[in-house]
Amino acid sequence: MFKKLLLAATASLVLALPAYADTTLKLTEVITSPERTQTLKEIVKKFEEANPGVKVEITSLPWGQAFEKFATMVSAGDTPDVVEMPDRWQSLYANNGMLESLEPYLAKWEHTKDLNDRALQMGRYVNNTAYALPYGFYLRAMFYNKKLFKQAGVDGPPKTMDEFVEAAKKVSAIPGKFGYCLRGGPGGLNGWMMMGANMAGDGTFFKPDGTSTMAEPGWVKGITVLVDLYKNGYAPKDSVNWGFNEIVTGFYSGTCAMLDQDPDALIAVADKMGKDDYDVAPMPKGAAGKTFPTIGYASWSMFANSENKELAWKLITALDGPDGNIAWNKRTGALPIYKSAEKDPFYADPKFKGWFDELRDPDVSPLVMPTYLEEFAFFADSIAVKTTQQALLGQLTPEQLAEQWADYLTKAQKNFLAKKK
């Protein structure tokens, strides 16, 4: 009897295999680093082993050029089955009908109930439909070099914007050292938005009629803070072109004493610096006694034209299931999407305290970018980079920069409001 059951099971398995035989899934990652790509490959290898006949073809795009490169791929019809979806791209691709709704899959998935509320909220950011399944959250906090602070006579991390500027000034008086690791290149928009909101005392991007607040005095004041830091020599001269890797290297090498970054920077910093040489604190507060650290997220999404949707969802669950997700987040440093993961010893490390303190402080309002705007991805990855570099180099005044941003974002918001009517 047992032999008959075994033969029947084997026959069923053999019959099931041709569905996956010689099937290739395309997976594109866009927020890349050697560590992240290696972790991705390890998770994918386990997925391939569990699904004989399936091959996952991974394309890794460098983050600095990812928006343009991926848009070119999509325009050419070279779309993946599964893509790593940054929050600010989600609206662009979802609103153009390119992403598959994950709602039917989530309704049947055993782990949906274990996701924290913010994971589902962010996944459903566009039209209240889950076009993405977040894998983690990125919240800004302030890294600071304790040795450089002591050498410069700075007593602890800055708690206000005035203290932040003063600390940057004191450290910069040390030959060859700078106060702040400024991100003037790709991905630098978060810093400008945080400083603007801090000095405005308000993280509201638009008035009820759709007019952007960017050109108002408070936001201009925040932009001016960063421009002046650079002009006064409190940030390295070549930081006008710095991206993620450069600012993190600038911090752990001891070139600059302060770095605002997400938990993903902790991986490289902890590897290169002694645990007593640095710490992480909440972002400094602005004029209204409030601070607005940006909170972002990245997800896995499925393209609507995938010919292997069930298998693509299976790959997403391998990446975002508890085992794959926790392994991924421990290597990427993102804050967890699962309720249970928050109790993991990994997140009990004192270095995470700065981020969890921010989440508990009622005067900290995590700033969610207006990524629901279709035009926001181009704004963040192209317009913002070009104009902030112009401002740092003195080619635009902070007021002119703010006016350009306000004009663009006002049009985008009014387009969005008109479509909702």
Side-chain angles (χ1 to χ4, degrees):
M1 181 67 178
F2 175 75
K3 188 176 286 186
K4 286 183 179 179
L5 288 171
L6 181 61
L7 287 170
T10 304
S12 298
L13 179 62
V14 170
L15 287 171
L17 283 177
Y20 290 160
D22 300 320
T23 300
T24 298
L25 287 178
K26 292 183 177 181
L27 169 64
T28 300
E29 65 160 337
V30 301
I31 309 174
T32 53
S33 72
E35 295 83 6
R36 293 166 70 97
T37 301
Q38 182 57 38
T39 304
L40 182 62
K41 287 179 177 178
E42 290 168 6
I43 298 171
V44 164
K45 184 180 179 183
K46 290 181 181 177
F47 171 79
E48 290 175 333
E49 290 170 351
N51 296 276
V54 177
K55 173 69 177 173
V56 179
E57 181 183 288
I58 299 174
T59 299
S60 300
L61 301 179
W63 175 238
Q65 298 88 42
F67 178 73
E68 291 82 2
K69 286 182 179 292
F70 188 68
T72 300
M73 287 171 56
V74 172
S75 296
D78 183 16
T79 55
D81 297 279
V82 176
V83 61
E84 182 180 15
M85 182 59 61
D87 50 5
R88 61 183 184 241
W89 297 10
Q90 190 173 329
S91 177
L92 175 64
Y93 289 103
N95 281 321
N96 281 286
M98 294 182 180
L99 301 183
E100 184 75 6
S101 168
L102 302 182
E103 293 291 353
Y105 302 96
L106 287 169
K108 296 183 289 184
W109 192 36
E110 60 181 322
H111 295 299
T112 300
K113 65 182 184 300
D114 301 322
L115 298 171
N116 59 42
D117 292 341
R118 195 174 288 276
L120 291 169
Q121 175 192 353
M122 297 303 190
R124 292 172 172 145
Y125 196 56
V126 180
N127 300 325
N128 200 31
T129 302
Y131 290 112
L133 182 56
Y135 60 68
F137 304 101
Y138 297 97
L139 178 67
R140 288 295 167 95
M142 184 67 77
F143 289 74
Y144 64 100
N145 185 312
K146 294 164 82 171
K147 280 187 171 181
L148 284 179
F149 268 29
K150 185 176 181 180
Q151 189 179 348
V154 178
D155 185 22
K159 293 182 173 58
T160 66
M161 289 293 291
D162 287 342
E163 290 178 5
F164 165 68
V165 173
E166 186 62 22
K169 179 181 179 180
K170 287 182 177 179
V171 173
S172 301
I174 302 170
K177 302 299 181 182
F178 301 89
Y180 179 59
C181 291
L182 174 69
R183 188 169 180 172
L189 180 62
N190 290 50
W192 298 87
M193 290 297 199
M194 284 190 297
M195 297 304 179
N198 280 357
M199 297 309 289
D202 191 340
T204 305
F205 290 107
F206 301 100
K207 297 176 183 178
D209 67 352
T211 302
S212 169
T213 58
M214 290 287 109
E216 294 188 350
W219 288 88
V220 173
K221 206 177 279 187
I223 291 168
T224 304
V225 167
L226 288 182
V227 171
D228 285 349
L229 280 174
Y230 183 76
K231 287 184 176 179
N232 291 332
Y234 303 163
K237 189 173 182 180
D238 56 346
S239 64
V240 67
N241 294 310
W242 281 9
F244 175 81
N245 291 330
E246 290 82 5
I247 58 172
V248 174
T249 302
F251 181 76
Y252 69 61
S253 67
T255 300
C256 37
M258 289 182 286
L259 165 71
D260 66 82
Q261 254 308 319
D262 311 313
D264 55 348
L266 189 58
I267 299 167
V269 172
D271 183 56
K272 301 290 185 180
M273 296 181 74
K275 63 179 182 179
D276 296 327
D277 294 340
Y278 73 97
D279 214 334
V280 184
M283 290 295 293
K285 295 176 179 176
K290 295 179 179 292
T291 188
F292 300 84
T294 53
I295 187 168
Y297 60 97
S299 311
W300 300 110
S301 289
M302 185 194 308
F303 257 70
N305 62 357
S306 170
E307 295 178 359
N308 298 286
K309 290 178 182 174
E310 290 295 329
L311 197 53
W313 170 249
K314 202 171 183 181
L315 175 57
I316 289 174
T317 61
L319 295 165
D320 240 354
D323 292 340
N325 177 255
I326 292 172
W328 175 259
N329 282 351
K330 285 183 178 180
R331 293 288 287 273
T332 63
L335 298 173
I337 62 169
Y338 287 98
K339 299 169 188 174
S340 59
E342 296 175 19
K343 300 175 184 176
D344 191 284
F346 177 78
Y347 293 103
D349 188 308
K351 297 302 181 189
F352 282 96
K353 186 175 182 296
W355 289 286
F356 289 120
D357 282 352
E358 285 186 335
L359 291 173
R360 286 189 288 265
D361 188 338
D363 290 323
V364 175
S365 299
L367 190 66
V368 179
M369 298 278 209
T371 54
Y372 58 85
L373 299 174
E374 289 183 43
E375 299 89 342
F376 190 77
F378 181 68
F379 170 75
D381 291 318
S382 184
I383 291 174
V385 178
K386 180 182 177 181
T387 52
T388 53
Q389 288 179 331
Q390 288 174 328
L392 293 172
L393 296 172
Q395 297 163 3
L396 284 177
T397 65
E399 290 80 9
Q400 289 170 330
L401 170 64
E403 286 169 8
Q404 286 191 24
W405 286 11
D407 287 346
Y408 183 90
L409 291 173
T410 295
K411 289 173 185 174
Q413 177 72 356
K414 290 193 173 183
N415 285 340
F416 172 76
L417 294 175
K419 287 179 182 178
K420 286 184 69 177
K421 289 181 179 178

